[in-house]
Short mmCIF file of all heavy atoms in Angstrom, two decimals:
data_model
loop_
_atom_site.label_atom_id
_atom_site.label_comp_id
_atom_site.label_asym_id
_atom_site.label_seq_id
_atom_site.Cartn_x
_atom_site.Cartn_y
_atom_site.Cartn_z
N HIS D 1524 138.27 11.32 -279.68
CA HIS D 1524 138.12 11.46 -281.03
C HIS D 1524 137.65 10.11 -281.64
O HIS D 1524 137.73 9.06 -281.06
CB HIS D 1524 139.44 11.72 -281.71
CG HIS D 1524 139.94 13.17 -281.33
ND1 HIS D 1524 139.53 14.24 -281.87
CD2 HIS D 1524 140.87 13.57 -280.44
CE1 HIS D 1524 140.14 15.32 -281.39
NE2 HIS D 1524 141.07 14.81 -280.50
N TRP D 1526 138.19 7.85 -284.78
CA TRP D 1526 139.20 7.72 -285.80
C TRP D 1526 138.52 7.07 -287.02
O TRP D 1526 137.87 6.16 -286.92
CB TRP D 1526 140.38 6.93 -285.40
CG TRP D 1526 140.95 7.48 -284.10
CD1 TRP D 1526 141.01 6.86 -282.90
CD2 TRP D 1526 141.59 8.81 -283.95
NE1 TRP D 1526 141.79 7.74 -282.02
CE2 TRP D 1526 141.98 9.01 -282.64
CE3 TRP D 1526 141.76 9.95 -284.73
CZ2 TRP D 1526 142.62 10.08 -282.02
CZ3 TRP D 1526 142.26 11.05 -284.26
CH2 TRP D 1526 142.74 11.11 -282.93
N ALA D 1539 145.63 8.21 -289.69
CA ALA D 1539 144.22 8.31 -289.52
C ALA D 1539 143.78 9.61 -288.87
O ALA D 1539 144.58 10.23 -288.21
CB ALA D 1539 143.52 7.18 -288.70
N SER D 1540 142.60 10.15 -289.21
CA SER D 1540 142.13 11.33 -288.74
C SER D 1540 140.81 11.24 -288.05
O SER D 1540 140.01 10.36 -288.45
CB SER D 1540 142.04 12.42 -289.80
OG SER D 1540 143.26 12.57 -290.55
N CYS D 1541 140.50 12.15 -287.21
CA CYS D 1541 139.16 12.19 -286.56
C CYS D 1541 138.07 12.43 -287.53
O CYS D 1541 138.24 13.40 -288.30
CB CYS D 1541 139.07 13.10 -285.37
SG CYS D 1541 137.49 13.45 -284.63
N VAL D 1542 137.01 11.70 -287.57
CA VAL D 1542 135.93 12.00 -288.59
C VAL D 1542 135.18 13.37 -288.28
O VAL D 1542 134.46 13.82 -289.18
CB VAL D 1542 135.02 10.75 -288.65
CG1 VAL D 1542 135.67 9.57 -289.04
CG2 VAL D 1542 134.33 10.64 -287.28
N PHE D 1543 135.23 13.77 -287.03
CA PHE D 1543 134.57 14.93 -286.74
C PHE D 1543 135.40 16.23 -286.89
O PHE D 1543 134.94 17.26 -287.56
CB PHE D 1543 134.09 14.94 -285.13
CG PHE D 1543 132.95 14.00 -285.04
CD1 PHE D 1543 133.11 12.80 -284.36
CD2 PHE D 1543 131.58 14.44 -285.33
CE1 PHE D 1543 132.06 11.99 -284.07
CE2 PHE D 1543 130.48 13.63 -285.12
CZ PHE D 1543 130.76 12.43 -284.46
N CYS D 1544 136.54 16.27 -286.52
CA CYS D 1544 137.39 17.54 -286.59
C CYS D 1544 138.67 17.37 -287.42
O CYS D 1544 139.32 18.34 -287.62
CB CYS D 1544 137.76 17.96 -285.19
SG CYS D 1544 138.93 16.85 -284.30
N GLY D 1545 139.09 16.12 -287.84
CA GLY D 1545 140.27 15.97 -288.63
C GLY D 1545 141.56 15.92 -287.87
O GLY D 1545 142.65 15.96 -288.50
N ALA D 1546 141.45 15.72 -286.54
CA ALA D 1546 142.71 15.71 -285.71
C ALA D 1546 143.51 14.42 -286.15
O ALA D 1546 142.99 13.41 -286.42
CB ALA D 1546 142.32 15.66 -284.31
N SER D 1547 144.81 14.52 -285.96
CA SER D 1547 145.80 13.38 -286.28
C SER D 1547 145.72 12.31 -285.15
O SER D 1547 145.93 12.68 -284.04
CB SER D 1547 147.13 13.92 -286.45
OG SER D 1547 148.12 12.86 -286.36
N LYS D 1548 145.47 11.11 -285.60
CA LYS D 1548 145.46 9.99 -284.55
C LYS D 1548 146.91 9.86 -283.92
O LYS D 1548 147.00 9.57 -282.76
CB LYS D 1548 145.17 8.68 -285.24
CG LYS D 1548 145.08 7.51 -284.33
CD LYS D 1548 144.61 6.22 -284.96
CE LYS D 1548 144.43 5.09 -283.94
NZ LYS D 1548 144.06 3.80 -284.62
N GLU D 1549 147.95 10.11 -284.76
CA GLU D 1549 149.26 10.00 -284.27
C GLU D 1549 149.53 10.93 -283.04
O GLU D 1549 150.22 10.55 -282.07
CB GLU D 1549 150.26 10.24 -285.43
CG GLU D 1549 151.64 10.21 -284.93
CD GLU D 1549 152.64 10.64 -286.07
OE1 GLU D 1549 152.24 10.92 -287.16
OE2 GLU D 1549 153.85 10.74 -285.77
N PHE D 1551 146.86 12.68 -281.28
CA PHE D 1551 145.84 12.90 -280.23
C PHE D 1551 145.26 11.58 -279.66
O PHE D 1551 144.49 11.66 -278.86
CB PHE D 1551 144.79 13.73 -280.85
CG PHE D 1551 145.10 15.19 -281.04
CD1 PHE D 1551 145.48 15.64 -282.25
CD2 PHE D 1551 145.14 16.04 -279.95
CE1 PHE D 1551 145.94 17.05 -282.51
CE2 PHE D 1551 145.54 17.36 -280.14
CZ PHE D 1551 145.81 17.88 -281.39
N SER D 1559 142.40 15.46 -274.50
CA SER D 1559 142.13 14.84 -275.83
C SER D 1559 141.91 15.91 -276.86
O SER D 1559 142.07 15.86 -278.05
CB SER D 1559 140.98 13.90 -275.83
OG SER D 1559 139.78 14.72 -275.53
N HIS D 1560 141.43 17.15 -276.45
CA HIS D 1560 141.12 18.26 -277.34
C HIS D 1560 140.06 17.81 -278.42
O HIS D 1560 139.98 18.35 -279.44
CB HIS D 1560 142.30 18.78 -278.05
CG HIS D 1560 143.21 19.58 -277.05
ND1 HIS D 1560 142.93 20.85 -276.47
CD2 HIS D 1560 144.51 19.08 -276.55
CE1 HIS D 1560 143.99 21.17 -275.65
NE2 HIS D 1560 144.87 20.16 -275.72
N HIS D 1566 131.90 17.23 -281.66
CA HIS D 1566 132.04 15.82 -281.60
C HIS D 1566 130.76 15.06 -281.40
O HIS D 1566 130.77 14.01 -280.61
CB HIS D 1566 133.27 15.37 -280.80
CG HIS D 1566 134.59 15.66 -281.20
ND1 HIS D 1566 135.08 16.91 -281.11
CD2 HIS D 1566 135.53 14.90 -281.87
CE1 HIS D 1566 136.29 16.93 -281.70
NE2 HIS D 1566 136.55 15.73 -282.13
N ILE D 1589 143.37 22.75 -285.27
CA ILE D 1589 143.88 21.44 -284.70
C ILE D 1589 144.78 20.88 -285.54
O ILE D 1589 144.62 20.93 -286.87
CB ILE D 1589 142.75 20.63 -284.34
CG1 ILE D 1589 143.08 19.57 -283.32
CG2 ILE D 1589 142.00 19.86 -285.50
CD1 ILE D 1589 142.03 18.93 -282.49
N ASN D 1590 145.87 20.26 -285.11
CA ASN D 1590 146.92 19.48 -285.90
C ASN D 1590 146.37 18.29 -286.57
O ASN D 1590 145.64 17.53 -285.94
CB ASN D 1590 148.19 19.28 -284.97
CG ASN D 1590 149.33 19.01 -285.83
OD1 ASN D 1590 149.25 18.28 -286.80
ND2 ASN D 1590 150.48 19.62 -285.44
N THR D 1591 146.54 18.12 -287.91
CA THR D 1591 146.13 17.08 -288.57
C THR D 1591 147.28 16.28 -289.24
O THR D 1591 146.92 15.31 -289.92
CB THR D 1591 145.13 17.51 -289.74
OG1 THR D 1591 145.98 18.44 -290.69
CG2 THR D 1591 144.09 18.37 -289.29
N ALA D 1592 148.42 16.56 -289.01
CA ALA D 1592 149.54 15.89 -289.64
C ALA D 1592 150.47 15.10 -288.83
O ALA D 1592 151.44 14.54 -289.29
CB ALA D 1592 150.40 16.90 -290.42
N LYS D 1601 144.49 22.49 -289.19
CA LYS D 1601 143.17 22.59 -289.91
C LYS D 1601 142.34 23.54 -289.03
O LYS D 1601 142.18 23.33 -287.86
CB LYS D 1601 142.55 21.16 -290.04
CG LYS D 1601 141.17 21.15 -290.77
CD LYS D 1601 140.60 19.85 -290.86
CE LYS D 1601 139.19 19.85 -291.55
NZ LYS D 1601 138.72 18.49 -291.63
#
Side-chain angles (χ1 to χ4, degrees):
H1524 295 281
W1526 307 117
S1540 300
C1541 175
V1542 298
F1543 285 106
C1544 70
S1547 165
K1548 183 178 181 181
E1549 178 186 354
F1551 290 100
S1559 67
H1560 294 286
H1566 284 77
I1589 198 159
N1590 197 308
T1591 63
K1601 181 180 180 180

